[in-house]
Amino acid sequence: MARVLTGIQSTGRPHMGNILGAILPAIEMANKSENESFLFIADLHSLTQIKNPAELKENTFQVAATWLAFGLDPNKTTFYRQSDVPECVELSWYLNCFFPYQRLKLAHSFKDKANRLEDINSGLFMYPMLMAADILLYDADEIPVGRDQLQHLEMSRDVASRMNHKLGDIFVLPSPIIQPETQLIPGTDGEKMSKSRNNTIDVFANEKEIKKHINKNIVTDNTPLESPKDPNSSTIFNLYRLIASEIESNKMAEQLRAGGYGWGHAKNDLINCICEKFAEPREKFNHFINNRNEVEDILNHGAKKAKKVAEATLIRVKKSLGYNT
Ligand code: ADP
Ligand code: TRP
């Protein structure tokens, strides 16, 4: 049995890129009978960016409702809030003491954030070691992530190997799992969909809002309606093919190539597809938003299950380091 684990930061309501790129692939892996799974909301990582308590709480809740709306089964998966199992913070300290400062200085994500954000706090710098602790605490084997997380996974393996080398085999070495199809979902401007780029699509918005948003924000060129168009260079088509069936995608590609089918038509087909495809999750999401206690109960139960595993690992690690257990 492989142990699958992944986390999503609670920095806002998940958008279509997060859902197709991270949440759905993780749920698919978690639901396989041959896997055991740990999925969590990385609300300690979010503190690097979010300092407003009400916002932090609300985001955590929205992320939890999203996982549940897309079919996470809390009976099969251990589903929890990272902050409910603070053992990861203790473990991250031990990891920090075995990981060279110079290696952390080379992290792309830190450099990227340091260039963009105003609040360049030390938490951002230590971020990869807290993430390594999230993984190593649960002896996870497979970590489904987006391509942007690969370097963090390398660091997790690196620190685990360093400690295994010094202390004996205390950690399982985790492997990243990247889905080539969905590793980079384009946003409305054709670049990587991302909160920080303001190019996201909110699949939980109502139909009217989705329609307005797509019509206004997806950028198209001014090729006339009658002329043939290249599907592959179109953001509309690139989004459509990720959610439509193969038959529907082939149909849109043919229509674009043939001419007589304009960007407006393609946008309409995309809007209808998004509204249809996400209708059920949207309903479930609204259910959880209106039944917060249900979500709380699920997370509290998950935290208890996670804590048992976390405590056992910490005892193993502390013993190997020479601490009293
Ligand atoms: P954002 O870039 O919007 O801030 P996050 O960095 O919080 O998103 O990403 C959360 C998860 O969603 C990560 O696993 C990340 O790899 C994945 N993800 C984010 N944007 C995309 C995208 N455009 N395509 C594929 N996966 C994505
Ligand atoms: N850093 C990840 C992100 O930004 C979130 C995360 C935190 C994570 N801990 C993790 C992902 C452990 C996988 C495993 O998306």
Side-chain angles (χ1 to χ4, degrees):
M1 224 187 201
R3 187 171 279 183
V4 176
L5 174 145
T6 199
I8 298 263
Q9 277 199 82
S10 43
T11 43
R13 184 196 278 199
H15 53 70
M16 198 163 137
N18 303 141
I19 292 165
L20 299 179
I23 294 180
L24 283 176
I27 290 178
E28 195 181 316
M29 281 175 75
N31 286 347
K32 284 193 179 145
S33 58
E34 67 269 27
N35 290 337
E36 188 187 5
S37 49
F38 286 72
L39 302 178
F40 67 96
I41 302 154
D43 59 347
L44 293 171
H45 279 109
S46 318
L47 189 61
T48 57
Q49 289 180 57
I50 295 180
K51 303 291 194 289
N52 175 323
E55 192 184 344
L56 191 88
K57 208 171 190 167
E58 181 58 25
N59 283 350
T60 302
F61 186 73
Q62 299 246 343
V63 175
T66 306
W67 279 107
L68 293 166
F70 280 95
L72 181 151
D73 174 359
N75 294 316
K76 171 140 178 33
T77 294
T78 302
F79 180 48
Y80 56 102
R81 264 181 295 236
Q82 184 188 27
S83 59
D84 282 342
V85 196
E87 280 78 358
C88 61
V89 182
E90 184 176 341
L91 180 58
S92 77
W93 174 253
Y94 304 142
L95 304 184
N96 274 322
C97 295
F98 280 77
F99 200 67
Y101 165 74
Q102 291 298 349
R103 284 268 290 140
L104 275 185
K105 261 178 71 182
L106 296 174
H108 310 306
S109 69
F110 177 72
K111 285 196 219 162
D112 172 49
K113 286 173 185 160
N115 283 331
R116 280 188 297 126
L117 303 177
E118 257 171 48
D119 174 14
I120 310 169
N121 54 74
S122 310
L124 278 178
F125 189 69
M126 319 300 250
Y127 185 112
M129 287 301 106
L130 180 58
M131 175 158 164
D134 291 331
I135 298 170
L136 301 175
L137 193 56
Y138 298 96
D139 293 329
D141 307 293
E142 297 182 354
I143 319 296
V145 280
R147 200 170 40 180
D148 55 341
Q149 298 297 314
L150 261 189
Q151 195 188 37
H152 287 154
L153 256 292
E154 273 164 25
M155 292 190 188
S156 303
R157 283 177 71 92
D158 186 355
V159 71
S161 304
R162 284 169 195 266
M163 290 182 76
N164 283 350
H165 189 69
K166 284 234 160 62
L167 304 167
D169 279 341
I170 52 171
F171 291 126
V172 171
L173 293 191
S175 306
I177 306 286
I178 307 237
Q179 311 276 353
E181 256 299 287
T182 51
Q183 61 183 337
L184 215 157
I185 312 296
T188 47
D189 58 357
E191 299 295 318
K192 180 195 165 206
M193 189 182 291
S194 172
K195 278 180 286 276
S196 56
R197 286 189 173 85
N198 253 329
N199 62 356
T200 60
I201 296 176
D202 177 10
V203 302
F204 296 129
N206 65 39
E207 284 189 24
K208 216 170 134 194
E209 289 162 339
I210 292 178
K211 191 168 182 174
K212 194 168 152 203
H213 183 73
I214 288 186
N215 278 329
K216 179 162 167 234
N217 292 297
I218 294 195
V219 185
T220 53
D221 60 27
N222 48 15
T223 317
L225 188 141
E226 314 76 52
S227 307
K229 299 168 192 69
D230 173 22
N232 295 320
S233 56
S234 147
T235 304
I236 305 172
F237 178 71
N238 284 328
L239 281 169
Y240 187 73
R241 68 182 180 81
L242 289 166
I243 50 173
S245 68
E246 204 179 326
I247 296 175
E248 289 167 328
S249 303
N250 290 341
K251 187 173 167 206
M252 183 184 279
E254 271 166 34
Q255 285 174 307
L256 284 168
R257 285 197 194 98
Y261 176 83
W263 294 127
H265 296 123
K267 277 187 178 177
N268 272 342
D269 284 340
L270 175 64
I271 291 162
N272 291 337
C273 188
I274 293 177
C275 291
E276 218 170 276
K277 168 105 182 175
F278 295 106
E280 197 188 314
R282 195 175 309 126
E283 217 169 276
K284 286 194 186 155
F285 180 80
N286 289 333
H287 166 86
F288 288 117
I289 292 293
N290 295 322
N291 293 274
R292 296 193 174 222
N293 289 345
E294 250 178 68
V295 179
E296 275 299 318
D297 288 349
I298 290 171
L299 290 173
N300 290 339
H301 177 69
K304 277 194 196 133
K305 284 204 283 178
K307 215 170 169 70
K308 274 199 189 130
V309 181
E311 281 170 352
T313 311
L314 257 194
I315 289 175
R316 187 174 82 218
V317 175
K318 286 179 80 169
K319 264 193 189 143
S320 75
L321 288 166
Y323 288 116
N324 182 20
T325 55

